Amino acid sequence: MVWQVTREAPGGAGECGVSGSSPRLMGILNVTPDSFSDGGEFFSVESALEHALALLDEGAEILDVGGESTRPGAEPVPQEEEQRRVLPAIRAVLDARPGAKISVDTYHAQTAEAALEEGASIVNDVTALRGDERMASVVAGAGCEVVLMHMLGEPRTMQRDPRYEDVVREVRDFLRERVDYAVGCGIDPGRIILDPGIGFGKTVEHNLELLRRLDEICELGFPVLVGTSRKRFIGTITGVQTPKERLFGTVATTVLAYERGASIFRVHDVRANREALDVARMLLIGERGG
């Protein structure tokens, strides 16, 4: 089954997932000791809050709070430890900014449930509801938004010689199947966001092909989230090995993904990506006659 969903973008600017609509920036808040780019920097509640407020002030509409690294080779974290990391951060942000929109980056139903009780309103599940059999019912019961992401394998193994016959077709078919599963579990299709999983079980060429043909993913009719920020494939192309120095390559992928229909962008560097998207949006609006 193909589900077609139309949503108004923030401010009523148009349909999400269509070039020219208002993009949504999701700022990354990793409260982990081992994330690939900023592990350990925001591990304390105080540093996490300071960074969260900076991301919001720079224009992030959503904060994605994660307590387990999903970098290639990362080991899983017990749910209790994940909750010990993310829940105080969520609580602190919402105490400081009650209107902030929080996403919890987890595939554990218990963590999602606790985060939603604290005030989170999006579950960002890198397993697309496969990692915990209770997750779909938690999301359906809460009526929250959910991000369904494609990942080949799991973080520990996903970059060990990933292969596809046609990466775009296979990712698209997977996402369509997960949408059908989610809706069958009672999740409102109007609350579903899709993520092709750039860098999750993909080679450099797989990532580039997904970005080139991103419109084929957007044709499924759901808002599409793209997360390329500071990723290794950008460093492979540019020769920049330090993740924090991959900003310029990240901005290029953000703008191109927006032109191809993506509407949500998960980034570390909010201001640079926001300004690039502001310019791109005005150009696309003019190109399409307002």
Side-chain angles (χ1 to χ4, degrees), residues 9 22 27 42 69-70 93 105 140 156 184 195 213 226 229 239 260 278:
S22 295
F42 313 116
S69 174
T70 50
V93 171
D105 184 355
R156 285 180 293 179
D195 181 347
R213 295 166 56 193
V226 169
S229 187
R260 283 161 173 76
D278 285 346

Side-chain angles (χ1 to χ4, degrees), residues 169-231:
R169 176 179 56 78
E170 291 173 52
V171 169
R172 178 185 165 110
D173 289 349
F174 169 87
L175 292 173
R176 182 189 289 116
E177 183 275 327
R178 297 318 294 166
V179 166
D180 289 345
Y181 172 80
V183 174
C185 290
I187 295 173
D188 180 352
R191 310 293 283 171
I192 293 173
I193 298 163
L194 302 182
D195 181 347
I198 300 295
F200 285 81
K202 283 96 176 171
T203 64
V204 173
E205 187 51 45
H206 292 148
N207 292 326
L208 294 177
E209 189 67 8
L210 280 165
L211 289 169
R212 290 186 193 108
R213 295 166 56 193
L214 193 63
D215 58 308
E216 295 177 38
I217 305 295
C218 295
E219 285 170 1
L220 290 172
F222 295 84
V224 170
L225 182 154
V226 169
T228 59
S229 187
R230 300 181 180 177
K231 288 192 173 175

Side-chain angles (χ1 to χ4, degrees), residues 5-7 24 101 116 120-124 139-140 142-148 179 182-183 186-194 221-223 264:
V5 178
T6 299
R7 299 198 203 186
R24 304 165 74 188
K101 192 173 185 68
L116 292 167
S121 57
I122 302 174
V123 173
N124 184 6
V139 171
C144 64
E145 289 183 279
V146 62
V147 180
L148 305 179
V179 166
V183 174
I187 295 173
D188 180 352
R191 310 293 283 171
I192 293 173
I193 298 163
L194 302 182
F222 295 84
I264 307 173

